[in-house]
Amino acid sequence: MSDQDRSPNPEQDAAQKQAEEVAREAVEQARADEVEAAPEEASGRDPEAELAALRDELAQARKALGEADLRAQAEIQNMRRRVERDVEAAHKYALEKFAAEVITVADSLERALTSLDADNEALAPAREGTELTLKVLLDVFGRFNIAQIDPKGETFNPEQHEAMAMVPQPEAAPNSVIDVLEKGYTLNGRLLRPARVVVARAE
């Protein structure tokens, strides 16, 4: 073969290159079309439907989150109220055990007054001293919201009174308190000790 037969033909080479370029562009375009069509074919829905579904899910998630936040806030508020009530009760009734012991001192002073003969002049100073001591003690009780229950003449109340006996008493109304053996006490309205009483009953 001569050198002339082996020499390239410029026109033939250009045509071949142009054909290869057109083929390459066609392949790339086909691949691009496949990529664009793949999501739609895979999902089976158009992009608008997908976007609407995502927006709906987002709205539901926000709603659920808002409800959970409201529930959490309500629970925190309830817990705060419970703690405040517990603290208030602790302050109000911190002296409950101490008060239950101290009221026995008032009982002793009242029994002492009962035993001192009011007609005996020799016992007058002792009686006056005991009365003054009892008055000072009851004033202290008042400052700490400790109140006496002295229900003589009142209707028997099982929530505040303890019946020690029931006796017939024609002059008194049935179920009324005719005698108080031991006065009761409350602390801030809470019963410390019921009044121990004698109750009238019908004949």
Side-chain angles (χ1 to χ4, degrees), residues 6-84:
R6 288 197 301 268
S7 63
N9 187 340
E11 294 180 359
Q12 186 178 358
D13 290 344
Q16 185 177 352
K17 287 181 182 180
Q18 186 176 3
E20 290 176 356
E21 186 67 26
V22 171
R24 185 165 52 250
E25 289 178 358
V27 170
E28 290 177 357
Q29 183 63 40
R31 288 176 178 173
D33 292 342
E34 289 178 359
V35 170
E36 290 179 359
E40 184 175 346
E41 292 174 357
S43 63
R45 298 193 303 189
D46 59 41
E48 290 297 330
E50 288 288 342
L51 182 59
L54 289 174
R55 285 176 176 168
D56 185 55
E57 290 179 7
L58 180 60
Q60 291 179 1
R62 284 177 176 170
K63 182 180 178 182
L65 182 61
E67 292 175 352
D69 185 53
L70 288 175
R71 286 195 297 270
Q73 290 181 10
E75 184 62 28
I76 291 172
Q77 191 67 20
N78 291 336
M79 187 181 300
R80 184 181 293 114
R81 290 196 188 100
R82 285 195 297 270
V83 170
E84 288 174 355

Side-chain angles (χ1 to χ4, degrees), residues 30-195:
R31 288 176 178 173
D33 292 342
E34 289 178 359
V35 170
E36 290 179 359
E40 184 175 346
E41 292 174 357
S43 63
R45 298 193 303 189
D46 59 41
E48 290 297 330
E50 288 288 342
L51 182 59
L54 289 174
R55 285 176 176 168
D56 185 55
E57 290 179 7
L58 180 60
Q60 291 179 1
R62 284 177 176 170
K63 182 180 178 182
L65 182 61
E67 292 175 352
D69 185 53
L70 288 175
R71 286 195 297 270
Q73 290 181 10
E75 184 62 28
I76 291 172
Q77 191 67 20
N78 291 336
M79 187 181 300
R80 184 181 293 114
R81 290 196 188 100
R82 285 195 297 270
V83 170
E84 288 174 355
R85 285 197 299 267
D86 291 344
V87 170
E88 183 182 0
H91 288 159
K92 287 177 68 175
Y93 305 114
L95 296 176
E96 186 169 9
K97 290 184 179 180
F98 176 73
E101 296 295 330
V102 172
I103 59 178
T104 60
V105 177
D107 295 337
S108 298
L109 291 172
E110 289 182 341
R111 280 193 291 268
L113 281 175
T114 303
S115 64
L116 293 172
D117 187 1
D119 297 329
N120 190 335
E121 292 295 331
L123 298 177
R127 186 175 181 85
E128 289 176 3
T130 304
E131 286 176 345
L132 180 60
T133 303
L134 179 59
K135 182 180 182 303
V136 171
L137 181 60
L138 293 179
D139 289 342
V140 172
F141 284 0
R143 287 198 293 274
F144 289 92
N145 296 318
I146 302 172
Q148 262 191 351
I149 302 174
D150 187 5
K152 188 171 183 179
E154 298 177 5
T155 302
F156 176 75
N157 179 0
E159 293 183 357
Q160 292 190 334
H161 310 152
E162 181 181 355
M164 307 304 293
M166 294 188 71
V167 298
Q169 184 68 269
E171 295 83 7
N175 208 38
S176 64
V177 176
I178 58 176
D179 194 14
V180 179
L181 304 178
E182 200 171 61
K183 293 175 182 176
Y185 288 89
T186 61
L187 172 62
N188 288 305
R190 177 186 288 182
L191 188 67
L192 278 175
R193 186 186 70 190

